[in-house]
Amino acid sequence: MASSNFNLTQFIGAIREDSLARVNRFEVFINAPSTLISKNIANSGAVSLYCEMASLPPVNISTKSFKIFGPTYQRPFGAEYGGEGISLTFHVDRDMQVKKFFDEWTAKVVDPDTGFVGYQEDYATTISLRQLDEQDNVTYEIELSEAFPRSINLLELNNSAQNQTHRLNVLFAYRYWKDKGREFETAPMDIPKIRRFPQVPVVDNRVGDIGNPMGDVSNYGNYW
């Protein structure tokens, strides 16, 4: 009869040596967009300090079923990083500066007066989520890219709740997240400029220049 691989003594020894990650040992840092006016609170990092609750985002590998011979297998073709939203909860200070900070930020996303959507570079930013150990050392860190507040919950005002404080829940959208401690096995892909900054094609001006009205037909239709 085969014996179990689990050994209680080894498990207890491993926990005593390495310990376990604590849910309450974390920190959040919001790199506030430079377009925000409330720089006194954005630069001081007070908003990040008021964060009470956060979550480490998920990742889901998208697959499709393939069958060539024998049992069906799953073929990966992409990844989704849960960018629809991640929730952060903040304490609210007495002067409501935390609430004003996010009000101003959402106004950069969609102007409440005109209804116009702002430029992404004016409202999208990065948010860092860090897991800490008991000595406040960063043991794990991820970065949300192109993040912005998508939804801000209501704050209830109630005469019967005398010794309670406001907690502001903000839902952030983002494009993807990455592990800051992971080392890339290969160099980042060099994406051509035309794909990174798509523009309207421009005909090569070498065609039809002075002295050669018809130009070099081999260059006709070339783009920058």
Side-chain angles (χ1 to χ4, degrees), residues 21-29 47-56 87-91 128-134 136-141:
R22 312 286 175 157
V23 176
N24 65 328
R25 304 295 300 171
F26 75 96
E27 68 177 359
V28 174
F29 181 76
V47 174
S48 300
L49 292 176
Y50 279 111
C51 185
E52 178 192 33
M53 188 180 302
S55 301
L56 294 177
S87 179
L88 301 180
T89 302
F90 299 86
H91 291 287
S128 296
L129 304 174
R130 299 163 182 162
Q131 176 72 50
L132 309 176
D133 61 13
E134 291 83 349
D136 291 335
N137 298 313
V138 178
T139 58
Y140 181 72
E141 180 180 1

Side-chain angles (χ1 to χ4, degrees), residues 92-177:
V92 181
D93 60 301
R94 182 174 57 186
D95 295 332
M96 302 292 286
Q97 291 297 318
V98 173
K99 181 66 166 62
K100 294 176 182 178
F101 172 79
F102 287 108
D103 288 345
E104 183 179 340
W105 194 349
T106 55
K108 293 294 182 182
V109 181
V110 178
D111 192 302
D113 298 322
T114 64
F116 293 157
V117 178
Y119 292 101
Q120 186 182 38
E121 61 185 13
D122 292 335
Y123 62 77
T125 187
T126 58
I127 298 177
S128 296
L129 304 174
R130 299 163 182 162
Q131 176 72 50
L132 309 176
D133 61 13
E134 291 83 349
Q135 288 74 42
D136 291 335
N137 298 313
V138 178
T139 58
Y140 181 72
E141 180 180 1
I142 67 169
E143 181 180 87
L144 307 180
S145 296
E146 301 179 26
F148 61 92
R150 176 182 174 187
S151 175
I152 299 177
N153 76 318
L154 59 86
L155 294 178
E156 180 180 346
L157 302 174
N158 190 342
N159 280 329
S160 62
Q162 297 184 4
N163 294 318
Q164 298 183 23
T165 60
H166 282 304
R167 283 170 171 79
L168 183 67
N169 183 267
V170 182
L171 183 67
F172 287 88
Y174 59 95
R175 186 176 182 186
Y176 66 97
W177 62 267

